[in-house]
Amino acid sequence: MASVHAIPSLDEQFEFTAESKRRLLIGGAVGVALVVLGAVLLSAGVGEHAHEAVQGHGLSEGHEGAHEHYKWTTRLWANIWVNSIYFTGIAVAGMFFMSYNYLAQAGWSSVIKRVPEAMPAFLPVTGIIMLGVFLIAGHDLFHWTHEGLYDKASPEYDPIIAGKHSFLNTPFFLVRMAFYFISWYMLWRVLRNLSLQEDLYGGTEYYYKSMKYGTAFLIVFAVTSSTAAWDLIMSIDTHWFSTMFGWYTLASWHVAGLATMTLTVVMLKEQGYLKAVNHSHLHDLGKFVFAFSIFWTYVWFAQFMLIYYANLPEETIYYRERFSGHGGIFLAPFWVNVVLNFVFPFLVLMTRDAKRTTILLKVACWGVLIGHYFDFYMNIMPGTVGDHAGFGPIEFGMILIFACAFIWSVSTQLTKANLIAKNHPLLEEALHHDI
């Protein structure tokens, strides 16, 4: 439904102030200090669980027998991997949002498109970090990288993992990982450049080109979002697999990205930017977060319920590890994950007014972002560090480092273009958006 609104100025330039940069640098420095402190404590054995790593498969199947000689550095590398996965998903969700809005020819989102458009610039950062971590510590995080698993003469030989060797081998893994990040980033660069040219020259030529490249991204992402989830997360628990894991990871990345977009739009508006954004735009963003929180829960529960009902040992071990394995240290994060990712946003954002109230949007989105960090923590930590997991200076410091770097990247991108895509063909619809 359209209505008449006073049209605000469309010329808005975001200023990444020296004070904002200073705060991010301080935040990053505090994060580094916490990581160093955590590393010192772990190297001294402070805060470590006294359990010996369990060999074989039992309740420590996630270790796959590969981590019986545990090193404290594994927890450091695992934390880097968790945060890289988490922020990769948030970054690529910006491109995903842009692309399906182009395909749907959605008008309402044109007024906020600079926000999701800025997010994928962080992909090279996480891509390079993950490549480095895999090359340095792949043997500590991924059991399938051990050559003895594929040698029938070796005592480590595992016929199940050996059967996956054509897919799970280091050269092919590296090729796939490079393809994910390069294809996502390059398609974003194309859309970004078309958007900037549209700002300069107007017309519909750039818009229709953006639709084509956005559709191309959706086709690529339809496949790579799942295969990336298999490679980067699911293969940590090498014996275990789920045909729903790709959808589950996509849902988690998507809703975390939506929460990030919503928070960014709200905060920019509170700083006096995005004057053209009204309560109806916020309402739509709130509906996205609400709806895809429910969608994540649907996929999460469907995967859990089917495995629980079938009660096959090779499948249930994944959840037994998280319920009762490793001394029960993952049980609390498991329920925090469920509560923050479904119960909390469902109750907070249920009403119409809640989706139009900035304080409630911020509370719900912060809850979703914290919850989905726990989601990836629960996916990765049991199979990498097991009994030695926990929450300490390394965890908090690593989150702070990555968050400050991501905010810096997005803020830098926001300065490079007008905050409103003022020559977008559907902008007029967005300026009069009313629901």
Side-chain angles (χ1 to χ4, degrees):
M1 173 181 173
S3 66
V4 178
H5 296 280
I7 305 299
S9 171
L10 300 181
D11 292 312
E12 293 185 6
Q13 195 69 36
F14 177 72
E15 183 184 0
F16 189 15
T17 64
E19 176 63 19
S20 298
K21 293 178 181 177
R22 186 180 70 86
R23 289 177 180 175
L24 290 175
L25 288 172
I26 291 173
V30 170
V32 170
L34 286 171
V35 170
V36 171
L37 173 61
V40 170
L41 293 175
L42 289 178
S43 64
V46 178
E48 280 289 342
H49 295 277
H51 310 300
E52 293 183 2
V54 180
Q55 300 185 23
H57 297 287
L59 284 182
S60 199
E61 190 269 348
H63 285 287
E64 307 280 1
H67 308 293
E68 51 197 63
H69 303 296
Y70 174 79
K71 299 175 289 186
W72 70 265
T73 51
T74 303
R75 182 161 160 184
L76 174 65
W77 299 122
N79 271 283
I80 296 174
W81 198 262
V82 168
N83 282 277
S84 295
I85 293 289
Y86 179 64
F87 282 97
T88 291
I90 290 175
V92 78
M95 181 65 178
F96 185 45
F97 180 85
M98 288 167 56
S99 297
Y100 63 66
N101 274 276
Y102 273 123
L103 181 61
Q105 300 185 43
W108 72 273
S109 60
S110 60
V111 77
I112 62 163
K113 75 184 287 282
R114 290 290 189 237
V115 173
E117 193 176 280
M119 290 160 55
F122 198 61
L123 286 172
V125 177
T126 54
I128 292 169
I129 289 172
M130 292 175 73
L131 176 62
V133 170
F134 183 80
L135 293 175
I136 295 169
H139 282 322
D140 297 326
L141 301 180
F142 294 90
H143 180 50
W144 58 263
T145 58
H146 294 256
E147 292 300 324
L149 298 167
Y150 310 103
D151 183 1
K152 290 184 178 180
S154 170
E156 294 181 2
Y157 177 70
D158 188 319
I160 295 176
I161 297 177
K164 303 180 181 184
H165 189 49
S166 59
F167 187 81
L168 287 179
N169 60 80
T170 297
F172 192 24
F173 180 90
L174 290 173
V175 168
R176 292 195 303 273
M177 186 162 71
F179 178 76
Y180 302 148
F181 283 94
I182 291 171
S183 62
W184 297 345
Y185 181 74
M186 294 308 295
L187 284 167
W188 169 73
R189 287 300 317 170
V190 172
L191 278 188
R192 174 69 163 171
N193 289 335
L194 288 171
S195 178
L196 296 180
Q197 288 177 311
E198 184 181 76
D199 258 18
L200 291 174
Y201 306 114
T204 59
E205 176 188 357
Y206 302 106
Y207 176 74
Y208 287 117
K209 285 183 179 179
S210 297
M211 284 179 61
K212 292 177 182 177
Y213 282 103
T215 303
F217 172 80
L218 291 175
I219 294 170
V220 171
F221 197 58
V223 177
T224 56
S225 60
S226 287
T227 55
W230 303 341
D231 286 337
L232 306 177
I233 307 173
M234 194 171 74
S235 73
I236 289 172
D237 296 279
T238 317
H239 277 182
W240 184 82
F241 66 91
S242 167
T243 56
M244 299 186 70
F245 198 82
W247 283 103
Y248 165 67
T249 302
L250 173 60
S252 192
W253 275 350
H254 187 211
V255 75
L258 289 169
T260 302
M261 290 176 223
T262 304
L263 271 177
T264 306
V265 169
V266 168
M267 290 178 178
L268 285 171
K269 191 158 180 64
E270 289 178 342
Q271 293 173 32
Y273 298 108
L274 297 179
K275 296 181 180 66
V277 172
N278 58 42
H279 287 300
S280 294
H281 297 105
L282 297 181
H283 189 175
D284 279 341
L285 287 169
K287 285 192 292 186
F288 264 92
V289 175
F290 179 77
F292 283 98
S293 292
I294 295 173
F295 177 72
W296 173 87
T297 309
Y298 157 71
V299 180
W300 179 91
F301 181 74
Q303 177 176 270
F304 173 80
M305 183 270 293
L306 290 171
I307 290 173
Y308 173 83
Y309 187 75
N311 198 27
L312 300 174
E314 63 269 27
E315 295 181 352
T316 57
I317 186 65
Y318 185 83
Y319 288 103
R320 285 203 65 198
E321 261 204 303
R322 287 148 179 81
F323 281 140
S324 55
H326 308 295
I329 59 176
F330 292 107
L331 187 58
F334 181 90
W335 289 112
V336 169
N337 175 31
V338 175
V339 170
L340 286 182
N341 290 330
F342 171 60
V343 178
F344 186 70
F346 182 78
L347 295 177
V348 173
L349 294 177
M350 184 181 293
T351 65
R352 171 185 168 89
D353 287 344
K355 300 181 189 72
R356 304 167 78 92
T357 306
T358 56
I359 184 63
L360 292 179
L361 280 173
K362 288 196 290 186
V363 167
C365 289
W366 276 117
V368 165
L369 287 175
I370 295 169
H372 282 282
Y373 170 83
F374 275 98
D375 193 18
F376 289 108
Y377 180 92
M378 289 296 301
N379 285 334
I380 293 168
M381 284 299 187
T384 53
V385 296
D387 297 358
H388 302 273
F391 268 93
I394 279 186
E395 283 72 25
F396 290 107
M398 203 64 71
I399 294 168
L400 198 52
I401 292 169
F402 273 82
C404 289
F406 179 77
I407 294 169
W408 188 291
S409 174
V410 171
S411 299
T412 300
Q413 288 299 316
L414 289 176
T415 64
K416 294 181 178 180
N418 197 63
L419 272 183
I420 305 291
K422 56 186 178 181
N423 284 328
H424 193 289
L426 302 181
L427 181 62
E428 192 67 22
E429 178 183 337
L431 296 175
H432 298 283
H433 186 51
D434 188 25
I435 55 174

